Amino acid sequence: MGTMLTLSTEAQEVLEEYDSVDSMEQELVRLEGLVSRVRSRQVAIIEAVYHLQVPHWDGTRSLKEWIAGRLDLQPRNASDLAVLAKAESGPIRDSIKAGVVSVDRAAATTRLANTGASDEVLDEADGVAVGQIGRLAARHRRMAPHDEAAVFKMRRLWVQPNLGNTRALGTFDMPGADAESLIAGLDRRADEIINPEDPNRPTLEQRRLDALVSLALDATVPATGDSVAPRRLKAHIFIDATECHRTGGESGAITRSGLKVGPNTLDEIFCVGETVTTFIDVDGLKAVRTDGDRLPNRLRDYVFFRDGGCTADGCTSRYRLEPHHITPRSQGGTHEPDGLTLLCWFHHHIVVHQQGFTIDPESPPKRRRFLAPGVTRAPPPN
Ligand SMILES: [Zn+2]
Ligand SMILES: [Zn+2]
């Protein structure tokens, strides 16, 4: 408190009218009872409207949706009224009619009763805060075998490209136990491939997706983990040569599946070199096919032998090690051994090629540090 606010005229009148805070509180509670009685009348009208199937004829999908639309209520509040209108008349409905319990409590208790909770549980609900009743209901909600089967039958992983084909959006629907395994597995995988101490560690949600991608990658092209060059899925990309030159690479390239990739991914594709690129010229009729300028196996093996593991300072990951061109191929980087450094999948794919960090050329060859995107040299030591 302590701050003096300019009181509204109504609040000033309240202060003149009541002689104590107690009497103000009593009035507040009395008014809440009035709200309950008004709501109780609404619930009765809604029940009648529902009986006449008005929401159905109005073309709404549910009673809740109809109430939200007609009364301009939040879905949660509309849902409360719908639950009460559909409930058997009885002590709960009577108590809001009498104004002795709030609509919130009545709706929460009705939901709890709908789970088939025993009278003892319902008595327990009387003694807890309204916010806790939902938790009681979740604990007592029954799941019949056919409910469980229905949830399982609904399972799906839905992925769809956006309008510009520049990203894929997705969502999933699955049984709780499977979701728990999924999340636990993704979190474990993320901890295996991303050092928890790494300053560039992505957020939890990002790490889960990175883990999922890495698992999918392992399924398509198993990682070998040793110095033998891991096979990669040969990327076939299509580039409009004229547009690419005109926009400095920002026109991007199209993958076989029709998704668009930008200059960062192009740099990575050229860095790894395991690619078939088809340049399409001005009129799009002649396609020039180029096989990727892949790092020769001998040189690849030499970089594995020389660096021994990920050269990022403090990284111990050996997951999908990949020689990286310190100067991007698109900026004239060559296969000179001094211009190559071995990086794990997290540092190569995520930190460098997707987050846009570059390798500080001043950093020691086996303890590489990264420069933030757009920074060309490290700040002088303090
Ligand atoms: Zn690279
Ligand atoms: Zn690393």
Side-chain angles (χ1 to χ4, degrees):
M1 294 310 211
T3 327
M4 289 300 282
L5 293 169
T6 317
L7 276 186
S8 66
T9 326
E10 291 87 344
Q12 283 171 15
E13 283 166 13
V14 165
L15 288 177
E16 283 160 24
E17 201 175 320
Y18 296 94
D19 50 9
S20 69
V21 173
D22 262 1
S23 55
M24 282 190 236
E25 284 183 10
Q26 278 164 22
E27 177 65 356
L28 264 183
V29 171
R30 190 188 72 81
L31 287 171
E32 188 58 34
L34 212 58
V35 170
S36 289
R37 294 215 289 276
V38 171
R39 286 293 193 203
S40 158
R41 181 72 181 155
Q42 285 184 316
V43 166
I45 296 171
I46 291 166
E47 186 186 351
V49 158
Y50 185 56
H51 175 74
L52 296 173
Q53 299 193 337
V54 173
H56 173 72
W57 298 118
D58 280 355
T60 48
R61 280 172 305 175
S62 65
L63 180 60
K64 171 182 149 185
E65 194 181 294
W66 185 85
I67 297 168
R70 283 291 178 283
L71 301 184
D72 198 22
L73 292 181
Q74 297 270 16
R76 175 81 207 176
N77 298 332
S79 172
D80 280 356
L81 292 180
V83 160
L84 288 169
K86 289 179 188 175
E88 299 273 317
S89 49
I92 299 176
R93 288 270 296 262
D94 292 346
S95 56
I96 34 170
K97 194 173 171 188
V100 293
V101 305
S102 68
V103 170
D104 286 14
R105 177 173 292 275
T109 310
T110 303
R111 285 196 182 89
L112 178 60
N114 288 348
T115 67
S118 64
D119 288 346
E120 291 78 50
V121 173
L122 289 171
D123 284 346
E124 188 188 340
D126 279 344
V128 304
V130 180
Q132 303 293 320
I133 301 177
R135 216 167 289 167
L136 271 178
R139 183 144 40 96
H140 290 279
R141 185 159 294 126
R142 293 189 193 162
M143 206 174 184
H146 81 269
D147 295 332
E148 201 173 2
V151 169
F152 186 71
K153 205 174 172 188
M154 286 289 290
R155 76 194 185 285
R156 72 206 167 110
L157 175 66
W158 172 91
V159 180
Q160 191 175 324
N162 69 345
L163 276 179
N165 265 354
T166 53
R167 68 207 287 200
L169 310 170
T171 183
F172 66 77
D173 189 339
M174 66 194 297
D178 284 348
E180 216 169 276
S181 314
L182 176 71
I183 295 298
L186 292 180
D187 287 350
R188 172 171 300 189
R189 164 56 69 112
D191 283 347
E192 280 164 12
I193 61 176
I194 303 170
N195 178 1
E197 310 288 319
D198 198 285
N200 302 315
R201 191 181 188 220
T203 65
L204 180 65
E205 288 75 19
Q206 291 172 332
R207 294 200 301 276
R208 285 177 178 161
L209 191 65
D210 297 340
L212 188 62
V213 169
S214 85
L215 288 166
L217 211 51
D218 290 356
T220 16
V221 190
T224 53
D226 54 25
S227 69
V228 177
R231 289 181 306 119
R232 293 209 24 145
L233 201 59
K234 225 172 207 191
H236 191 166
I237 52 170
F238 300 86
I239 297 177
D240 182 326
T242 319
E243 272 302 288
C244 185
H245 191 256
R246 195 178 63 78
T247 60
E250 285 185 13
S251 66
I254 311 288
T255 64
R256 216 171 349 199
S257 63
L259 275 171
K260 206 162 186 164
V261 297
N264 297 346
T265 304
L266 275 184
D267 264 345
E268 182 177 359
I269 289 173
F270 290 134
C271 187
V272 176
E274 216 34 81
T275 168
V276 179
T277 314
T278 299
F279 285 98
I280 302 168
D281 78 355
V282 201
D283 51 10
L285 292 175
K286 273 189 290 180
V288 185
R289 194 185 150 101
T290 63
D291 275 324
D293 178 16
R294 193 175 172 280
L295 201 60
N297 268 344
R298 251 177 46 206
L299 197 49
R300 229 184 133 79
D301 282 351
Y302 169 69
V303 175
F304 272 79
F305 161 75
R306 182 194 66 191
D307 294 346
C310 180
T311 57
D313 196 9
C315 183
T316 55
S317 172
R318 296 189 58 79
Y319 180 65
R320 287 184 174 270
L321 294 166
E322 201 65 76
H324 166 64
H325 295 75
I326 296 174
T327 303
R329 301 283 287 141
S330 63
Q331 288 167 37
T334 67
H335 292 333
E336 272 302 300
D338 284 352
L340 296 168
T341 194
L342 199 58
L343 293 177
C344 71
W345 187 74
F346 168 64
H347 282 110
H348 189 233
H349 171 65
I350 296 174
V351 175
V352 172
H353 285 298
Q354 297 301 325
Q355 292 182 335
F357 283 75
T358 53
I359 292 202
D360 180 357
E362 311 272 291
S363 58
K366 297 226 171 167
R367 297 187 59 188
R368 294 296 193 177
R369 289 183 304 265
F370 295 93
L371 300 175
V375 177
T376 47
R377 70 155 48 140
N382 294 321

